[in-house]
Structures are given as structure tokens and as C-alpha cells.
Amino acid sequence: MRWWRGVDLRAAVVPAWCALLTLAIAAPWLRAGHILSYDMVWVPELDLDRPEVWGLGSGLPRAVPSDAVAALLGAVLPAALVQRLFLMGSLFLLALGMARLLRHRHLVGQLAAATFAVWNPYVAERLVLGQWPVIVALAAFPWLIGTLVSRDGPRWSVVTIALAAAALSPVTGVMGLVLALAVGRRNGVVRIVGLAALVNAPWIVSGLLHASIARTDPAAVRLFDVQGEGSFGRLGSALTLGGIWNTEVVPTSRTLLLAVLIGLVLAAVMVVGLVTMWRDDRALLGGLAAAGAIGIVVALSGWLAPGTVARIVGDVPGGGIVRDGTRWLALLVPLEAVALGVGAHTALGRARHTSWEVPTIVLALLVPLAALPDIAWGVGGRLEPTTYPAAWSDARRVIDKTSTSGDVMVLPFTAYRAPAWNDRTPVLDPAGRFFGRTTVTNDELDVSGRLIAGEDPRARRIGRILADGHDVPRRLARAGIGIVVIETDVPGAEAAAKPFADSRTIPVGGTGLRVVALDGARPATIDPRDRTIMTVTWSLAGLTILLALIGLLRSLAGRLDRKPAEHRPRQVTQP
């Protein structure tokens, strides 16, 4: 007997298809280097002893716990590999998880759902914008849904891990809870909320410690509201999982009339799927529809009710999680992907044994791909790996060795860069994470020529010192800055360097960076009480996830030990 005769080829098709979809998007990422785009900043070594990694910095915990998770994994694996595992692993698990939600439907329906789950404007735009925690959370959603609606009852280890994956950022952590309550409230609201609170605790507690600054500039609401893409209009863009505020990251195909026509075809299939689910799976439909409705309402709120949203983000601590409303469209992705898969399943059932059977199968697989062809190859080549210049590594080395105390500040004092060595792709200044010390960066955002105020009081204080221009080096040292890194190959570098003409320069190999030492600086101190609180918080969250992982591994081991009866060796009686 050949080795493959016992293999279920049907079961192998789904993961193979999901892997193919992932590779079609991520093929450029197989090259060496780091992928840097807008908010996606990955550095060769993110130090674990930096206070901001653990929510003890001066600013809001926007990168808590994502930075800590990346730093922990980067301590045992190359950082570039960790980045690939997050990005490519998330795309694969997103497709596979969505297909598994339809494992009782036709194979074509599973493949259609898997395709749409990763091959849509939301995924493409969030990838280019660099919001990798959103992609990780999206990948966790179908697995969270699947276990909560299981007829055998939820596996709480899976629920915990899925909620933890969603909790890599504050807004996705809240979305994970909303989705869990929408689809699994019958399994116990208190238990779901309790688990979500434990795994989201790091950013929640850190946010409470920063409650005095946890308010966002209300002017940002109008700048972050849903945008029309091509002929879709604002409502159509949101319903088709687009409408992101940053129009520079929108795939070109979204602006074509053909995209609208294909979108109408997909919508028709989804409607068929929704009708089918109304007849045979109302429980799942109800939960997905509730979550999707919340997602679309939040996405449109900045456009339809800007005054209300402005009051929320400006007056309510933590209200900034609704500033970028279109990010909440992640809650609509499961509903649309499942509806499309069920619709394809229904259409194929009608076409079975007719001349339309093969065309229906082909269309079910190809139409979602045709709707957004430029998500392939790193979203049309926008996400290409790059390598940090040698000067950066040498600057880190000399900063680590210098006896000069104090934190690091980077000039020019702007949030984003578009360095030539990154093919002029805009990116949040990597220097904020690159060096082995706390690094103060500007958290003000320039959106369409309008400046949005930041929340970090220390950055604001340093900004005032730089703007005043009087006795800058001494005043920076008094503010705890001992090292100034000047990126000399970006606009504004010459003007930013003028106050430090007479300051001591630390030699750095390579070009593009100048490192200045300021004597007499003392690094910012951390309140021991805050440190203790965050230590306990991280310990509780980590213990919760560890116990869930142990439970999941034990469950998987038990399933492997239980062989199906048909695979057991037959008893042969000798005559």
C-alpha cells in the first residue's frame, strides 16, 4: 500500500489552498531584511529592559503588549523571522480558520470563504499601513467564533488564546471581546469578560496609570473618518471593507469601475448565503451579524456623527480607540466571508449535475481574486524587505558602550520618515525602537497638512524646548536626554542639528547618522508602585495564557492518542 492511500485529499486541499493564498501575498517577504511601512516598525533587537515595552513609558500604551511579545520572541529567534511568523502565519490561519467555519459545507464554499478572508481591501490596506496586530487579531477571530459556536461547547483554552491574540493592541482587544460576546454570550458573559480582562490587562492597567493623558485631539475625527474609494462612495467603501482614512495605502484596483462590478457580484452571492443561513444556521448568523453591525456603525460614525465621536475621543479616557473607525470593519470580515462561502455552497448545489457546475466552481474561486489582484506580491510591491544601513548598527553599538547617562532623543523631531534606504516608503521613525535605551520621539501626527496633537507630556515638553531654541543642549539634559541622534539624510536635519554645533559628537561608522552626547543628564525614573502594579499585571496575564497553552497542548495530545476505529489494525485469527 502506498503511503498516500490513507490520506484524505479533500482535507488536504483546504490548507494547501490557504498556503497558496498566503504565498501569493507574501512571496517578497521570503527575502532577507525587515518590512517597514507606516506603523510597522521592526528592528533587529528590541530590548526587553525598556520601560515603554511594559507600559511604563511616558506615553500611552499604544504598542502594549505587541512590543513585549515581539521582544520576547526576538530574544530567542531572529527578529526578521518573528516578523514573518506573525505576518505569514496570521494570513494562513485567517484563511484556514474561516474555511473551518464552513467545514460542513461544500469544499468550494470553504475555499471561497478562505479566499475572501485574506483577499480583501481591509487586509491589503492594514498591511500597507503597518497595523500588524490588527492582522493577528483578524486571524484569531474565526477560531474564536468556531469554538464558541461549537455544538460540543467551547474549548476555553482556545477562547483564551484567541482573545490573547486579539489583545496585542487596545482596539483589537476590545474588538475581540465584542466578537466573543456577540457569538458566544450563551456560554457565559461573565466568564468571557473575565478571560478578556485578564489577557487585556497589560494595556488596560497601563492605560489606567496614564489616565490623565488618555484623551485624543478631537480634531482627528474628521481626518480619520471613512473615505470613498473610486466609485464606491463612502458607504460602499465601508461595506466592501475599504474606506481607510489614508488614501495613499489604497490599492489601485479599488479605483477602477471593474472593482464595483465585481463587488456587486460578490454582494449578490453574499445575499444568497445570508438567506441560506437564515434558514439553517440562525445562531451563527445572529452572532456574526451583531458583530458586523457594530463594526459598520463605528466605521461610519466619524462621518455621520463627527461631533459625538469628537466628544468621546476628547472627553472620555481611552475614547481614542474609535478615532480610526474603519479599523472596526474587522468585525464585518467574518460575516462577509462566511456569507460568501455559504452563498457559493448554495449556488453550487443549484448547479450540480448541470452545465453550470464547472463554471460555478471556477467563478467561486476566481471572482474574489479578481476583485483585488494587486494584493498579490506584497500588495503590489509596496511591502518589500529592507536592510538597515551600517551606521544604524554602529550607532547602537556606541550608544550601548558610552558612559554618558540619560535617554535618547531623535532629530528631526517628527514622527514619520521616508528614508531612501526604505525605498522612500513612509514609516514611523525606527529610531524610536532601534536603540537600547528609552527613546523619546514626537507623537504628533501630520495628516493631510493638519497637525494632530500628541498625548505624551514628555515629548511635548521636549518639543517646546526645541521650538524655543534657547540653550537647547543644557535644557534637554535637564529633561533627562543624554544622547541625541540626528538622522542627517532626511529633510530638516540641517536645521535640527544647529543647536548642537558645539556639542560633543560620538564617532559613528557609516553615513546618515550623527550621535551627540549631552553631559549631566539623568534618565527618567519610574514610580516603584507603578512598576509593582505592572509586574503583577503581566504575571497574571502571562499565567492565564500559559495555562491555556498547556490545556490546548494536552487536548491536542489526547486527540492524537485517540485513533479512529477504522484506522486501527484489524485482528487476524490464524487458522
Side-chain angles (χ1 to χ4, degrees):
M1 180 181 292
R2 295 182 182 273
W3 66 270
W4 48 263
R5 289 189 178 179
V7 177
D8 184 355
L9 294 179
R10 173 188 167 92
V13 168
V14 172
W17 180 257
C18 296
L20 184 62
L21 291 171
T22 300
L23 186 60
I25 297 173
W29 308 342
L30 299 178
R31 297 197 297 267
H34 298 85
I35 305 158
L36 308 177
S37 181
Y38 289 90
D39 295 345
M40 182 153 53
V41 178
W42 223 274
V43 296
E45 183 179 353
L46 181 58
D47 287 74
L48 286 167
D49 58 354
R50 294 176 54 152
E52 58 269 27
V53 169
W54 306 103
L56 290 168
S58 59
L60 289 178
R62 298 187 184 278
V64 174
S66 58
D67 272 0
V69 174
L72 285 168
L73 292 176
V76 295
L77 295 172
L81 176 59
V82 174
Q83 186 182 31
R84 272 40 167 212
L85 291 175
F86 273 119
L87 294 177
M88 299 176 69
S90 294
L91 292 174
F92 176 77
L93 290 174
L94 171 58
L96 183 63
M98 209 63 74
R100 280 184 57 82
L101 287 178
L102 301 180
R103 60 186 177 274
H104 301 301
R105 307 280 183 175
H106 194 280
L107 178 61
V108 171
Q110 298 177 45
L111 300 181
T115 303
F116 184 80
V118 298
W119 213 271
N120 62 70
Y122 186 89
V123 171
E125 293 167 1
R126 297 295 159 177
L127 279 174
V128 178
L129 197 58
Q131 295 180 345
W132 66 269
V134 175
I135 304 300
V136 174
L138 193 60
F141 285 177
W143 302 92
L144 180 63
I145 296 166
T147 192
L148 286 174
V149 301
S150 173
R151 295 175 182 176
D152 299 328
R155 295 165 62 188
W156 291 102
S157 58
V158 177
V159 173
T160 304
I161 294 170
L163 288 173
L168 287 179
S169 72
V171 65
T172 54
V174 175
M175 286 195 289
L177 174 60
V178 169
L179 179 63
L181 291 176
V183 301
R185 57 189 179 278
R186 295 183 181 86
N187 296 303
V189 170
V190 174
R191 189 168 188 176
I192 291 174
V193 172
L195 285 175
L198 284 170
V199 298
N200 283 276
W203 70 261
I204 293 175
V205 175
S206 178
L208 292 173
L209 295 178
H210 293 82
S212 61
I213 62 170
R215 292 173 176 82
T216 302
D217 187 350
V221 173
R222 280 292 190 183
L223 299 173
F224 280 83
D225 64 354
V226 61
Q227 300 295 306
E229 296 177 359
S231 301
F232 284 101
R234 298 198 187 203
L235 178 60
S237 296
L239 289 174
T240 54
L241 305 179
I244 196 168
W245 60 272
N246 188 341
T247 55
E248 292 181 357
V249 306
V250 177
T252 304
S253 61
R254 288 284 289 173
T255 64
L256 304 177
L257 180 60
L258 180 62
V260 178
L261 299 177
I262 296 176
L264 292 174
V265 174
L266 293 174
V269 178
M270 290 177 190
V271 170
V272 173
L274 293 174
V275 172
T276 302
M277 293 178 69
W278 177 259
R279 293 172 179 170
D280 61 20
D281 202 351
R282 292 190 186 183
L284 177 60
L285 174 61
L288 296 182
I294 293 172
I296 194 69
V297 167
V298 177
L300 297 175
S301 60
W303 169 43
L304 299 177
T308 301
V309 179
R311 285 192 293 273
I312 292 174
V313 303
D315 300 335
V316 179
I321 62 173
V322 298
R323 181 181 71 175
D324 179 3
T326 55
R327 186 160 40 179
W328 286 74
L329 290 173
L331 293 175
L332 186 59
V333 173
L335 174 65
E336 294 196 354
V338 169
L340 181 71
V342 175
H345 163 89
T346 303
L348 185 60
R350 300 283 180 85
R352 186 68 63 84
H353 305 307
T354 70
S355 59
W356 283 96
E357 183 174 8
V358 173
T360 300
I361 294 174
V362 173
L363 290 173
L365 300 180
L366 294 185
V367 170
L369 297 175
L372 198 70
D374 42 359
I375 193 176
W377 196 260
V379 193
R382 298 190 187 194
L383 297 175
E384 298 275 355
T386 189
T387 303
Y388 284 96
W392 284 66
S393 299
D394 196 53
R396 178 185 167 97
R397 180 185 60 81
V398 299
I399 290 173
D400 288 343
K401 287 186 174 182
T402 184
S403 59
T404 302
S405 62
D407 296 329
V408 177
M409 186 192 71
V410 183
L411 294 177
F413 203 55
T414 53
Y416 284 84
R417 302 283 193 264
W421 52 265
N422 193 37
D423 198 27
R424 296 298 180 190
T425 300
V427 62
L428 193 66
D429 190 4
R433 290 178 172 86
F434 194 91
F435 304 110
R437 302 190 190 188
T438 291
T439 304
V440 182
T441 55
N442 194 346
D443 63 344
E444 293 180 334
L445 296 179
D446 187 344
V447 180
S448 301
R450 177 73 179 270
L451 200 63
I452 300 174
E455 298 95 1
D456 187 344
R458 191 180 187 199
R460 193 179 306 121
R461 178 186 175 190
I462 288 174
R464 288 195 297 265
I465 293 174
L466 294 173
D468 180 68
H470 173 67
D471 198 13
V472 172
R474 185 178 64 84
R475 293 170 67 189
L476 286 177
R478 291 174 59 185
I481 301 300
I483 300 291
V484 177
V485 176
I486 304 171
E487 298 181 42
T488 59
D489 55 354
V490 299
E494 185 176 351
K498 283 183 178 179
F500 307 95
D502 298 327
S503 299
R504 179 167 57 93
T505 297
I506 303 177
V508 174
T511 60
L513 291 182
R514 177 189 170 198
V515 178
V516 174
L518 306 180
D519 296 325
R522 294 182 180 179
T525 58
I526 299 172
D527 188 329
R529 181 183 63 89
D530 291 352
R531 187 185 293 275
T532 300
I533 291 173
M534 288 307 301
T535 300
V536 173
T537 300
W538 279 100
S539 299
L540 289 174
L543 181 60
T544 301
I545 297 170
L546 178 61
L547 291 175
L549 286 171
I550 292 173
L552 180 60
L553 291 175
R554 291 180 62 182
S555 175
L556 292 175
R559 292 178 62 184
L560 291 175
D561 288 341
R562 294 192 297 270
K563 294 182 179 180
E566 61 270 19
H567 290 165
R568 292 173 184 164
R570 294 182 180 180
Q571 296 292 333
V572 179
T573 304
Q574 296 293 336

